[in-house]
Amino acid sequence: MSTDFKFEAVVIPVTDVDRAKEFYQRLEWRLDADFAFDNGFRVVQFTPPGSPASVQFGSNITTAEPGSAQGLYLIVSDIETARDELAARGVDVSPAFHPETPGAQFLADNPGRATGPADERASYGSFATFADPDGNTWLLQEVTTRLPGRVDATEVTYTSVEDLEQALTRAATAHGEHEARNGGEHDAEWPAWYAKYMHAERTGQELPQ
């Protein structure tokens, strides 16, 4: 297929538009629009930091039951840092957890949820959840290395200073292990190694050792 079909917005159902707007502003998501019309139609749009997709809500915008949007994914590169930032903004966010049974991340009372991030912080394996005032739920998922096919290998981007900083930290940790495996000698070519590691991590390729 030659035509791009870019998924850019999802509608969530809310009861009180102004209450929902205040909540998402508190998250410091970017307010893109708040348009109200004489016929009662109103649309509000927010975009999470670093996201290519946005969320919309408003009046006369959907017939879905308020709070029925469940398990909306927010991908983060560090689950604990993301949790801390949400908690600092007054959000009731769950502790980090990992599913021991498939699908346990979607149900809060599922006994298959285990406390704490995934073993060795495996990419795609660590989660946390929070809800907006209507009960629409968001699922934080920590992704550091993408699966093949999920990325464009010719394009590597970092969406924020924090995202880049965390990627550099992971590369630095891995490079320290690389030097240790090689007798602890200083690697004068470390910038090239960092670049290869960060590119491979972002594009889902085999990481350099």
Side-chain angles (χ1 to χ4, degrees):
M1 184 175 291
S2 60
T3 302
D4 287 342
F5 291 84
K6 297 180 179 180
F7 185 74
E8 294 197 355
V10 63
V11 174
I12 60 172
V14 304
T15 303
D16 186 320
V17 180
D18 288 322
R19 182 181 65 174
K21 180 180 178 182
E22 187 279 329
F23 176 80
Y24 288 102
Q25 282 181 313
R26 183 150 44 93
L27 299 187
E28 297 187 7
W29 291 11
R30 188 185 70 222
L31 176 62
D32 300 324
D34 184 354
F35 300 135
F37 299 86
D38 292 341
N39 65 353
F41 174 71
R42 179 182 177 188
V43 58
V44 179
Q45 177 172 304
F46 281 93
T47 300
S51 176
S54 305
V55 60
Q56 293 182 354
F57 53 86
S59 302
N60 299 332
I61 195 172
T62 178
T63 58
E65 187 71 20
S68 61
Q70 300 291 300
L72 301 166
Y73 276 80
L74 289 170
I75 303 305
V76 299
S77 57
D78 188 306
I79 196 73
E80 298 290 9
T81 298
R83 280 197 68 262
D84 290 345
E85 290 182 2
L86 288 170
R89 296 182 176 99
V91 176
D92 183 12
V93 57
S94 78
F97 66 89
H98 61 279
E100 292 187 322
T101 57
Q105 65 267 36
F106 294 106
L107 299 174
D109 57 353
N110 194 310
R113 286 188 178 187
T115 302
D119 293 343
E120 299 182 357
R121 299 294 283 269
S123 190
Y124 294 95
S126 303
F127 297 87
T129 62
F130 70 94
D132 70 11
D134 285 282
N136 297 301
T137 61
W138 294 90
L139 187 65
L140 303 181
Q141 182 181 38
E142 183 179 86
V143 176
T144 52
T145 302
R146 293 280 182 177
L147 292 173
R150 287 287 294 114
V151 292
D152 182 352
T154 65
E155 180 178 343
V156 174
T157 60
Y158 294 93
T159 56
S160 66
V161 172
E162 291 76 14
D163 189 22
L164 177 57
E165 178 183 356
Q166 290 161 7
L168 283 166
T169 299
R170 292 192 298 272
T173 300
H175 187 260
E177 296 169 353
H178 163 75
E179 287 185 325
R181 285 191 295 270
N182 288 278
E185 295 184 7
H186 173 67
D187 177 14
E189 300 299 321
W190 66 265
W193 197 97
Y194 271 45
K196 291 177 182 177
Y197 185 95
M198 293 170 69
H199 183 273
E201 182 187 62
R202 192 61 94 183
T203 57
Q205 301 178 50
E206 183 177 354
L207 297 175
Q209 297 298 315

